[in-house]
Amino acid sequence: MAEIRVNGVSLHYEARGEGPGVVLVHGSWSDGDTWAHVVPGLAESATVVSYDRRGHSRSEDLLTQGSVHEDAADLAGLIEGLGLAPAFVCGDSYGALVTLRLATARPDLLRGIAVHEPPGSGVLLADPDLRPIGTAFADRIAAVRELLEQAESAAAAELYVDTLAFGPGAWSQLPAPVRHTYIRNAPTYLDELRDPDALDLDLTGLARYGDPALLTQSDDSAPMFGEVLDLIDLTLAKAERHLYEGAGHAPHLSQPEEWVRVVLPRALL
């Protein structure tokens, strides 16, 4: 366990293994511990860094309105500060959006990326044919946001897990420490929702990214994620797709051995 200071904020991180740098970016509500089941497999061949994004768990919270641009800048600072460039970066859910932002802003720091189900509903809202899908997703988010605005963190976390992330009844099946982390980090999700750029992507800028990109989804996740990945796939020059079977929104949790089997060869290229 260690800390690094980047962009005026102290970030908690953990590094394991030796070899080419691989950085793991967690999604909303969670923290770096979400990668615990895949780190050992990666660390056999690479230097693996997981971290808590600003405001989450053990990293510093500046108590100011954040942005996805800050998260991308923090990720850049982490890679540079730890001497990992060019790194292979894996992002899950909102962490995938952060990863794609970094690929747009600082492609020089990367040798490849893997992103799983980025919730980029903003790009759907911009397309008349896809707008109904993006609107339906935004409506479900609105119900979670209402609870967060009322400081009902536990209820908001449960609603998010059961209606947006994993499916009905999933909250009760999560281990108690994971539920605790989600509740503790609930305000960070409200912070993301207050950022107008959080769920959007600069596809024009992303088109300039030329290194390999692994785009993954699960066959039992919301169709919205596939629509977002289709638009990203059309944008990137070296995109590769992979479909997990029955893995849900977090295959690194539900199928860690399969996740490592899929991601590690790409990370070592």
Side-chain angles (χ1 to χ4, degrees), residues 33-59:
D33 289 345
T34 190
W35 303 103
H37 296 300
V38 299
V39 166
L42 296 174
E44 293 179 2
S45 309
T47 299
V48 186
V49 174
S50 57
Y51 72 106
D52 298 349
R53 292 191 290 112
R54 65 165 61 202
H56 292 71
S57 297
R58 295 150 294 193
S59 287

Side-chain angles (χ1 to χ4, degrees), residues 143-216:
V144 176
R145 179 171 184 165
E146 183 177 355
L147 289 171
L148 290 172
E149 296 281 9
Q150 298 169 0
E152 296 286 349
S153 295
E158 181 174 359
L159 187 63
Y160 169 82
V161 167
D162 286 352
T163 65
L164 286 165
F166 303 115
W171 176 256
S172 62
Q173 298 176 30
L174 291 178
V178 175
R179 294 199 302 268
H180 174 73
T181 297
Y182 274 46
I183 294 170
R184 175 180 57 191
N185 288 333
T188 64
Y189 189 62
L190 180 58
D191 187 72
E192 291 169 8
L193 296 181
R194 289 171 172 168
D195 172 15
D197 293 335
L199 301 181
D200 203 358
L201 283 170
D202 175 11
L203 294 178
T204 301
L206 187 61
R208 293 191 289 269
Y209 176 74
D211 286 313
L214 175 63
L215 313 178
T216 67

Side-chain angles (χ1 to χ4, degrees), residues 13-255:
Y13 75 93
E14 297 185 25
R16 289 183 58 179
E18 295 183 359
V22 176
V23 181
L24 308 175
V25 190
H26 68 82
S28 302
W29 305 80
S30 60
D31 59 27
D33 289 345
T34 190
W35 303 103
H37 296 300
V38 299
V39 166
L42 296 174
E44 293 179 2
S45 309
T47 299
V48 186
V49 174
S50 57
Y51 72 106
D52 298 349
R53 292 191 290 112
R54 65 165 61 202
H56 292 71
S57 297
R58 295 150 294 193
S59 287
E60 187 178 5
D61 186 350
L62 298 183
L63 301 178
T64 56
Q65 174 60 47
S67 75
V68 67
H69 305 287
E70 287 180 341
D71 275 313
D74 290 348
L75 177 55
L78 180 78
I79 292 171
E80 290 182 306
L82 297 180
L84 299 173
F88 188 90
V89 176
C90 306
D92 172 68
S93 191
Y94 189 80
L97 292 177
V98 175
T99 301
L100 291 164
R101 289 283 182 179
L102 181 67
T104 301
R106 293 294 309 275
D108 57 299
L109 298 179
L110 301 171
R111 66 174 188 277
I113 59 174
V115 295
H116 183 74
E117 298 186 346
S121 56
V123 295
L124 302 183
L125 295 173
D127 186 317
D129 294 331
L130 299 174
R131 189 173 299 142
I133 299 174
T135 299
F137 185 75
D139 289 344
R140 293 198 298 274
I141 288 177
V144 176
R145 179 171 184 165
E146 183 177 355
L147 289 171
L148 290 172
E149 296 281 9
Q150 298 169 0
E152 296 286 349
S153 295
E158 181 174 359
L159 187 63
Y160 169 82
V161 167
D162 286 352
T163 65
L164 286 165
F166 303 115
W171 176 256
S172 62
Q173 298 176 30
L174 291 178
V178 175
R179 294 199 302 268
H180 174 73
T181 297
Y182 274 46
I183 294 170
R184 175 180 57 191
N185 288 333
T188 64
Y189 189 62
L190 180 58
D191 187 72
E192 291 169 8
L193 296 181
R194 289 171 172 168
D195 172 15
D197 293 335
L199 301 181
D200 203 358
L201 283 170
D202 175 11
L203 294 178
T204 301
L206 187 61
R208 293 191 289 269
Y209 176 74
D211 286 313
L214 175 63
L215 313 178
T216 67
Q217 66 189 102
S218 297
D219 61 1
D220 56 347
S221 288
M224 188 275 292
F225 296 116
E227 298 289 356
V228 173
L229 287 175
D230 286 346
L231 293 175
I232 296 171
D233 193 355
L234 290 171
T235 299
L236 295 174
K238 296 181 180 179
E240 177 186 5
R241 299 289 285 269
H242 179 80
L243 183 68
Y244 291 100
E245 295 183 2
H249 192 48
H252 61 286
L253 292 174
S254 62
Q255 298 180 9

